[in-house]
Amino acid sequence: MELGVLIFPTDQAIRPAELAKEAEARGFESLWFPEHSHIPSSRVTPWGGAKEAPPLPEEYWRTHDQFVALATCASVTERIKLCTGITLVAQRDPIWLAKEVATLDALSDGRVVMGIGYGWNVEELAQHGVAYRERRALLREKVGMMKALWTEEEATFEGEHLSLEPSWAWPKPTQSPHPPVILGGAAGPKTIKDIVDFCDGWMPINGRHPVDGKWAEIQQAAEDAGRDPATLSLGVFGAPGKPDVLETLRDQGVERAVLGLPPAAADVVLPILDSYAPLVGQFD
Protein backbone atom coordinates (compact mmCIF):
# COMPACT_ATOMS: atom_id res chain seq x y z
CA MET A 1 0.00 0.00 0.00
CA GLU A 2 1.36 3.40 -1.03
CA LEU A 3 1.24 6.35 1.37
CA GLY A 4 0.63 9.93 0.35
CA VAL A 5 -0.04 13.20 2.14
CA LEU A 6 -2.71 15.87 1.69
CA ILE A 7 -2.78 19.53 2.69
CA PHE A 8 -4.89 22.56 1.90
CA PRO A 9 -2.22 24.65 0.14
CA THR A 10 -2.98 28.14 1.43
CA ASP A 11 -1.26 31.49 1.62
CA GLN A 12 -0.77 30.88 5.36
CA ALA A 13 0.69 27.36 5.11
CA ILE A 14 4.04 25.87 4.21
CA ARG A 15 4.85 26.66 0.58
CA PRO A 16 3.76 23.86 -1.76
CA ALA A 17 7.20 23.39 -3.32
CA GLU A 18 8.90 23.11 0.07
CA LEU A 19 6.39 20.51 1.22
CA ALA A 20 6.80 18.56 -2.03
CA LYS A 21 10.57 18.37 -1.59
CA GLU A 22 10.26 17.29 2.03
CA ALA A 23 7.57 14.69 1.29
CA GLU A 24 9.59 13.22 -1.57
CA ALA A 25 12.72 13.08 0.58
CA ARG A 26 10.81 10.98 3.14
CA GLY A 27 9.61 8.53 0.51
CA PHE A 28 5.93 9.46 0.23
CA GLU A 29 4.35 8.29 -3.00
CA SER A 30 2.06 11.24 -3.62
CA LEU A 31 1.09 14.78 -2.64
CA TRP A 32 -2.56 15.86 -2.85
CA PHE A 33 -4.08 19.35 -2.97
CA PRO A 34 -7.83 20.10 -2.70
CA GLU A 35 -9.42 23.16 -4.23
CA HIS A 36 -12.16 25.73 -3.95
CA SER A 37 -12.29 28.67 -6.32
CA HIS A 38 -13.88 30.81 -3.60
CA ILE A 39 -16.46 30.49 -0.83
CA PRO A 40 -19.43 32.87 -1.02
CA SER A 41 -19.60 34.54 2.38
CA SER A 42 -23.36 34.03 2.62
CA ARG A 43 -22.47 30.48 3.81
CA VAL A 44 -25.87 29.08 2.89
CA THR A 45 -24.63 25.53 2.34
CA PRO A 46 -23.29 23.88 5.52
CA TRP A 47 -19.83 22.29 5.42
CA GLY A 48 -20.01 19.25 3.18
CA GLY A 49 -23.72 19.80 2.73
CA ALA A 50 -24.30 18.11 6.10
CA LYS A 51 -26.89 19.46 8.53
CA GLU A 52 -25.50 20.50 11.93
CA ALA A 53 -22.00 20.74 10.44
CA PRO A 54 -19.48 22.90 12.32
CA PRO A 55 -18.34 26.23 10.84
CA LEU A 56 -16.34 25.96 7.65
CA PRO A 57 -12.58 26.29 8.31
CA GLU A 58 -10.85 29.32 6.83
CA GLU A 59 -8.52 27.26 4.63
CA TYR A 60 -11.44 26.52 2.33
CA TRP A 61 -11.33 30.07 0.95
CA ARG A 62 -7.54 30.53 1.12
CA THR A 63 -6.36 27.75 -1.21
CA HIS A 64 -3.86 28.39 -3.98
CA ASP A 65 -4.87 27.31 -7.46
CA GLN A 66 -4.25 23.56 -7.62
CA PHE A 67 -2.40 23.44 -10.89
CA VAL A 68 -0.20 26.47 -10.32
CA ALA A 69 0.75 25.07 -6.91
CA LEU A 70 1.43 21.59 -8.30
CA ALA A 71 3.53 23.08 -11.11
CA THR A 72 5.83 24.65 -8.52
CA CYS A 73 6.10 21.23 -6.90
CA ALA A 74 6.94 19.57 -10.22
CA SER A 75 9.85 21.96 -10.72
CA VAL A 76 11.65 20.89 -7.53
CA THR A 77 10.89 17.13 -7.44
CA GLU A 78 11.51 14.06 -9.58
CA ARG A 79 9.42 11.16 -8.30
CA ILE A 80 6.49 12.15 -6.11
CA LYS A 81 3.09 12.00 -7.81
CA LEU A 82 1.29 15.34 -8.16
CA CYS A 83 -2.38 14.88 -7.36
CA THR A 84 -5.61 16.81 -7.15
CA GLY A 85 -7.72 15.81 -4.22
CA ILE A 86 -10.15 16.83 -5.56
CA THR A 87 -10.75 18.96 -8.66
CA LEU A 88 -14.25 20.44 -8.84
CA VAL A 89 -14.75 19.52 -12.47
CA ALA A 90 -18.38 20.66 -12.84
CA GLN A 91 -17.47 24.30 -12.17
CA ARG A 92 -14.40 24.37 -14.45
CA ASP A 93 -14.07 24.94 -18.18
CA PRO A 94 -13.22 21.47 -19.56
CA ILE A 95 -11.07 22.70 -22.45
CA TRP A 96 -8.82 24.78 -20.22
CA LEU A 97 -8.82 22.06 -17.56
CA ALA A 98 -7.73 19.44 -20.10
CA LYS A 99 -4.90 21.78 -21.12
CA GLU A 100 -3.80 22.31 -17.50
CA VAL A 101 -3.77 18.60 -16.68
CA ALA A 102 -1.97 17.67 -19.90
CA THR A 103 0.62 20.41 -19.44
CA LEU A 104 1.35 19.44 -15.85
CA ASP A 105 1.63 15.77 -16.82
CA ALA A 106 3.93 16.56 -19.73
CA LEU A 107 6.19 18.89 -17.74
CA SER A 108 6.38 16.50 -14.76
CA ASP A 109 7.19 13.48 -16.95
CA GLY A 110 3.90 11.75 -16.24
CA ARG A 111 3.34 12.20 -12.51
CA VAL A 112 -0.25 13.49 -12.39
CA VAL A 113 -3.17 11.75 -10.70
CA MET A 114 -6.46 13.55 -11.20
CA GLY A 115 -8.83 13.19 -8.28
CA ILE A 116 -12.26 14.54 -9.12
CA GLY A 117 -15.53 15.21 -7.30
CA TYR A 118 -19.01 16.54 -7.90
CA GLY A 119 -18.90 19.45 -5.44
CA TRP A 120 -21.07 20.17 -2.40
CA ASN A 121 -21.24 23.97 -2.12
CA VAL A 122 -24.45 25.05 -3.83
CA GLU A 123 -23.63 28.76 -3.95
CA GLU A 124 -20.05 28.21 -5.14
CA LEU A 125 -21.35 26.10 -8.02
CA ALA A 126 -24.01 28.70 -8.80
CA GLN A 127 -21.39 31.44 -9.14
CA HIS A 128 -19.86 29.33 -11.92
CA GLY A 129 -23.24 29.03 -13.62
CA VAL A 130 -23.79 25.43 -12.47
CA ALA A 131 -27.08 24.26 -11.00
CA TYR A 132 -26.46 21.86 -8.12
CA ARG A 133 -28.63 19.10 -9.59
CA GLU A 134 -26.79 19.28 -12.92
CA ARG A 135 -23.30 18.91 -11.50
CA ARG A 136 -23.10 15.13 -11.97
CA ALA A 137 -24.16 15.24 -15.61
CA LEU A 138 -21.74 18.09 -16.28
CA LEU A 139 -18.88 16.25 -14.61
CA ARG A 140 -19.53 13.18 -16.74
CA GLU A 141 -19.56 15.15 -19.97
CA LYS A 142 -16.61 17.35 -19.06
CA VAL A 143 -14.48 14.32 -18.26
CA GLY A 144 -15.55 12.79 -21.57
CA MET A 145 -14.54 15.93 -23.42
CA MET A 146 -11.20 16.07 -21.62
CA LYS A 147 -10.44 12.48 -22.52
CA ALA A 148 -11.11 13.30 -26.16
CA LEU A 149 -8.75 16.28 -25.97
CA TRP A 150 -6.08 14.16 -24.28
CA THR A 151 -6.22 11.19 -26.64
CA GLU A 152 -7.48 12.23 -30.09
CA GLU A 153 -5.42 13.88 -32.82
CA GLU A 154 -8.48 15.87 -33.85
CA ALA A 155 -10.73 15.82 -30.82
CA THR A 156 -14.53 15.88 -30.96
CA PHE A 157 -17.24 15.41 -28.37
CA GLU A 158 -21.02 15.45 -28.42
CA GLY A 159 -23.13 15.24 -25.27
CA GLU A 160 -26.47 16.43 -24.00
CA HIS A 161 -24.98 19.54 -22.37
CA LEU A 162 -21.65 20.06 -24.13
CA SER A 163 -20.13 19.66 -27.55
CA LEU A 164 -16.72 20.16 -29.11
CA GLU A 165 -16.21 20.74 -32.78
CA PRO A 166 -13.17 19.01 -34.34
CA SER A 167 -10.22 20.61 -32.59
CA TRP A 168 -6.46 20.36 -32.15
CA ALA A 169 -5.10 20.50 -28.63
CA TRP A 170 -1.55 19.89 -27.43
CA PRO A 171 0.39 18.95 -25.39
CA LYS A 172 -0.97 15.48 -24.88
CA PRO A 173 -0.36 13.93 -21.44
CA THR A 174 2.79 11.87 -21.02
CA GLN A 175 0.81 9.05 -19.40
CA SER A 176 -1.05 6.82 -21.82
CA PRO A 177 -3.88 7.10 -22.49
CA HIS A 178 -4.10 9.87 -19.87
CA PRO A 179 -3.49 10.47 -16.14
CA PRO A 180 -5.57 8.27 -13.83
CA VAL A 181 -8.99 9.75 -13.03
CA ILE A 182 -10.06 8.91 -9.46
CA LEU A 183 -13.54 9.75 -8.19
CA GLY A 184 -14.12 10.73 -4.55
CA GLY A 185 -17.31 10.78 -2.51
CA ALA A 186 -19.86 8.36 -1.12
CA ALA A 187 -20.47 5.40 -3.42
CA GLY A 188 -24.20 5.46 -4.06
CA PRO A 189 -25.66 3.88 -7.21
CA LYS A 190 -24.98 6.92 -9.45
CA THR A 191 -21.43 7.32 -8.22
CA ILE A 192 -20.71 3.61 -8.63
CA LYS A 193 -21.95 3.78 -12.21
CA ASP A 194 -19.67 6.75 -12.91
CA ILE A 195 -16.68 4.99 -11.37
CA VAL A 196 -17.23 1.96 -13.56
CA ASP A 197 -18.10 3.92 -16.71
CA PHE A 198 -15.23 6.41 -16.93
CA CYS A 199 -12.93 6.39 -13.90
CA ASP A 200 -9.79 4.52 -12.91
CA GLY A 201 -10.61 4.23 -9.23
CA TRP A 202 -12.49 5.32 -6.13
CA MET A 203 -11.10 7.35 -3.22
CA PRO A 204 -13.51 8.15 -0.38
CA ILE A 205 -12.72 10.02 2.85
CA ASN A 206 -11.67 7.57 5.54
CA GLY A 207 -14.21 7.18 8.32
CA ARG A 208 -16.90 9.12 6.49
CA HIS A 209 -17.86 6.44 3.99
CA PRO A 210 -17.69 2.64 4.42
CA VAL A 211 -14.90 1.17 2.33
CA ASP A 212 -14.93 -2.61 2.21
CA GLY A 213 -18.62 -3.23 1.51
CA LYS A 214 -18.87 -0.46 -1.06
CA TRP A 215 -15.66 -1.57 -2.74
CA ALA A 216 -17.19 -5.02 -3.19
CA GLU A 217 -20.25 -3.37 -4.78
CA ILE A 218 -18.04 -1.40 -7.16
CA GLN A 219 -16.12 -4.49 -8.18
CA GLN A 220 -19.36 -6.40 -8.78
CA ALA A 221 -20.74 -3.49 -10.82
CA ALA A 222 -17.60 -3.55 -12.94
CA GLU A 223 -18.02 -7.26 -13.60
CA ASP A 224 -21.68 -6.76 -14.46
CA ALA A 225 -20.70 -4.05 -16.94
CA GLY A 226 -18.08 -6.24 -18.57
CA ARG A 227 -15.13 -4.35 -17.08
CA ASP A 228 -12.21 -6.06 -15.38
CA PRO A 229 -12.38 -5.00 -11.68
CA ALA A 230 -8.58 -5.11 -11.60
CA THR A 231 -8.55 -1.96 -13.76
CA LEU A 232 -9.98 0.00 -10.81
CA SER A 233 -7.95 1.14 -7.80
CA LEU A 234 -9.04 1.85 -4.24
CA GLY A 235 -7.61 4.63 -2.09
CA VAL A 236 -8.70 6.68 0.91
CA PHE A 237 -8.25 10.31 1.92
CA GLY A 238 -7.65 11.30 5.52
CA ALA A 239 -6.24 8.04 6.81
CA PRO A 240 -4.77 8.36 10.33
CA GLY A 241 -1.08 7.75 10.88
CA LYS A 242 -1.78 4.64 12.95
CA PRO A 243 -0.29 1.30 11.87
CA ASP A 244 -3.25 -0.78 13.06
CA VAL A 245 -5.75 1.32 11.09
CA LEU A 246 -3.53 1.30 8.03
CA GLU A 247 -3.16 -2.47 8.25
CA THR A 248 -6.95 -2.82 8.32
CA LEU A 249 -7.29 -0.57 5.28
CA ARG A 250 -4.66 -2.59 3.42
CA ASP A 251 -6.51 -5.81 4.27
CA GLN A 252 -9.67 -4.25 2.81
CA GLY A 253 -7.93 -3.76 -0.51
CA VAL A 254 -6.82 -0.14 -0.17
CA GLU A 255 -3.87 0.49 -2.48
CA ARG A 256 -3.18 4.10 -1.46
CA ALA A 257 -3.75 5.79 1.90
CA VAL A 258 -3.40 9.56 2.07
CA LEU A 259 -2.54 11.07 5.45
CA GLY A 260 -3.71 14.55 6.38
CA LEU A 261 -1.52 17.53 7.24
CA PRO A 262 -2.78 20.78 8.81
CA PRO A 263 -2.70 23.96 6.68
CA ALA A 264 0.04 25.41 8.85
CA ALA A 265 3.58 26.73 8.64
CA ALA A 266 6.65 24.53 8.15
CA ASP A 267 7.49 24.45 11.85
CA VAL A 268 4.15 22.70 12.49
CA VAL A 269 3.86 20.57 9.35
CA LEU A 270 7.36 19.10 9.10
CA PRO A 271 7.38 17.45 12.56
CA ILE A 272 4.08 15.77 11.66
CA LEU A 273 5.58 14.65 8.35
CA ASP A 274 8.52 13.23 10.31
CA SER A 275 6.13 11.31 12.56
CA TYR A 276 4.48 9.76 9.47
CA ALA A 277 7.75 8.92 7.70
CA PRO A 278 8.46 5.57 9.46
CA LEU A 279 5.12 4.29 8.15
CA VAL A 280 6.38 4.51 4.57
CA GLY A 281 8.80 1.64 5.11
CA GLN A 282 6.12 -0.44 6.81
CA PHE A 283 3.59 -0.28 4.00
CA ASP A 284 5.49 0.19 0.73
Side-chain angles (χ1 to χ4, degrees):
M1 184 172 69
E2 302 284 3
L3 296 185
V5 290
L6 175 146
I7 193 172
F8 274 77
T10 78
D11 59 329
Q12 297 179 327
I14 183 173
R15 284 182 175 268
E18 181 183 0
L19 176 57
K21 287 193 295 184
E22 298 289 352
E24 182 173 86
R26 289 161 177 78
F28 289 95
E29 177 255 0
S30 53
L31 175 61
W32 297 74
F33 292 161
E35 76 163 352
H36 283 275
S37 58
H38 68 306
I39 298 293
S41 56
S42 62
R43 294 297 303 114
V44 175
T45 308
W47 186 4
K51 294 181 179 178
E52 308 301 327
L56 188 71
E58 187 176 358
E59 60 262 26
Y60 276 75
W61 59 88
R62 301 197 77 109
T63 56
H64 294 305
D65 177 86
Q66 277 181 330
F67 293 98
V68 175
L70 288 170
T72 70
C73 298
S75 70
V76 298
T77 58
E78 296 179 353
R79 300 178 305 280
I80 196 165
K81 294 186 183 299
L82 308 168
C83 313
T84 65
I86 48 90
T87 298
L88 296 167
V89 173
Q91 61 192 45
R92 280 179 166 268
D93 179 287
I95 301 173
W96 277 121
L97 182 54
K99 172 78 75 175
E100 290 176 311
V101 173
T103 300
L104 181 62
D105 199 60
L107 295 180
S108 68
D109 295 322
R111 290 190 278 145
V112 173
V113 177
M114 189 179 186
I116 64 172
Y118 301 113
W120 57 265
N121 192 303
V122 177
E123 55 270 28
E124 180 184 359
L125 286 157
Q127 290 291 292
H128 291 280
V130 177
Y132 182 75
R133 294 188 180 280
E134 293 181 356
R135 72 198 192 287
R136 289 177 179 269
L138 286 171
L139 179 143
R140 287 192 289 272
E141 292 197 10
K142 289 182 179 185
V143 171
M145 185 183 292
M146 288 191 292
K147 286 187 175 184
L149 288 161
W150 290 334
T151 61
E152 297 174 10
E153 292 287 309
E154 192 169 328
T156 61
F157 180 82
E158 192 65 42
E160 293 184 15
H161 301 272
L162 305 170
S163 63
L164 177 72
E165 67 177 77
S167 300
W168 298 314
W170 266 263
K172 301 300 185 187
T174 294
Q175 295 180 82
S176 180
H178 50 72
V181 176
I182 309 296
L183 185 58
K190 293 179 181 178
T191 299
I192 290 175
K193 186 176 189 309
D194 285 349
I195 293 166
V196 171
D197 285 353
F198 61 83
C199 293
D200 301 294
W202 177 49
M203 202 159 169
I205 296 174
N206 183 65
R208 185 177 298 180
H209 309 300
V211 172
D212 49 352
K214 286 296 182 180
W215 182 233
E217 286 185 40
I218 291 168
Q219 292 178 305
Q220 184 60 56
E223 286 191 7
D224 294 344
R227 178 174 179 177
D228 181 358
T231 62
L232 292 168
S233 67
L234 173 63
V236 294
F237 289 116
K242 298 179 179 179
D244 56 337
V245 176
L246 294 173
E247 288 172 5
T248 297
L249 290 171
R250 182 176 58 186
D251 292 345
Q252 292 175 345
V254 172
E255 299 171 40
R256 174 187 288 126
V258 176
L259 313 178
L261 293 168
D267 62 343
V268 174
V269 170
L270 295 182
I272 298 172
L273 200 63
D274 285 335
S275 73
Y276 290 160
L279 298 167
V280 173
Q282 288 183 244
F283 291 94
D284 61 9

